[in-house]
Amino acid sequence: EVQLVESGGGLVQPGGSLRLSCAASGFAIDDFAIGWFHQPPGDVRAGISAIGSRENRTFYSDSVKDRFTISSDAAKNTVYLQMNYLQLKDTGVYFCAAGELVTGSPMLPLWYDKWGQGTQVTVSS
């Protein structure tokens, strides 16, 4: 069964850190681009980071660049999103997704056909 499972969300104070995990099963993450998407409360889902197949490139939106880091561990078939200096605006549900053929901006959801269920991140003082 093809599955993506996110974990690592929670409640954190502004300026704090969290590391999200995206564990894949049923396929090898090395063969896919993996993206992280953020959906704030009442808003649409937007791409914030992605890593190409076989870690050839990484991508970040302007809103998270220099604060978040994406990485992957092929042995664990897991992609991580290290989130530092979290801000109130980072609150929301975080989804990871896998796409086999991404020929345009990897921040666009249309390239991804496998999605996790999401993990909640709440940044609050």
Side-chain angles (χ1 to χ4, degrees), residues 3-7 21-24 34-37 45 79 94-98 112 114-119:
Q3 197 173 17
L4 290 167
V5 179
E6 302 95 335
S7 61
S21 299
C22 172
I34 306 295
W36 281 99
F37 294 81
R45 194 175 303 185
V79 173
Y94 285 74
F95 300 88
C96 67
Y112 300 86
K114 300 173 179 53
W115 289 83
Q117 82 291 345
T119 185

Side-chain angles (χ1 to χ4, degrees), residues 24-35:
S25 58
F27 68 99
I29 59 170
D30 264 1
D31 295 331
F32 288 75
I34 306 295

Side-chain angles (χ1 to χ4, degrees), residues 52-125:
S53 61
R54 306 197 181 277
E55 301 181 70
N56 61 345
R57 285 187 66 185
T58 57
F59 305 84
Y60 299 95
S61 67
D62 289 342
S63 64
V64 306
K65 191 176 180 181
D66 299 326
R67 298 191 298 126
F68 292 7
T69 303
I70 191 170
S71 63
S72 68
D73 185 334
K76 294 183 178 180
N77 217 30
T78 299
V79 173
Y80 303 97
L81 186 68
Q82 178 65 44
M83 307 189 297
N84 298 327
Y85 306 107
L86 283 160
Q87 304 170 2
L88 297 177
K89 66 177 182 178
D90 296 319
T91 292
V93 181
Y94 285 74
F95 300 88
C96 67
E100 191 167 13
L101 185 62
V102 177
T103 60
S105 169
M107 299 300 182
L108 296 176
L110 68 91
W111 297 115
Y112 300 86
D113 59 353
K114 300 173 179 53
W115 289 83
Q117 82 291 345
T119 185
Q120 175 71 41
V121 171
T122 302
V123 183
S124 175
S125 55

Side-chain angles (χ1 to χ4, degrees), residues 2-21:
V2 172
Q3 197 173 17
L4 290 167
V5 179
E6 302 95 335
S7 61
L11 174 64
V12 63
Q13 292 185 339
S17 298
L18 284 174
R19 188 177 79 156
L20 304 184
S21 299

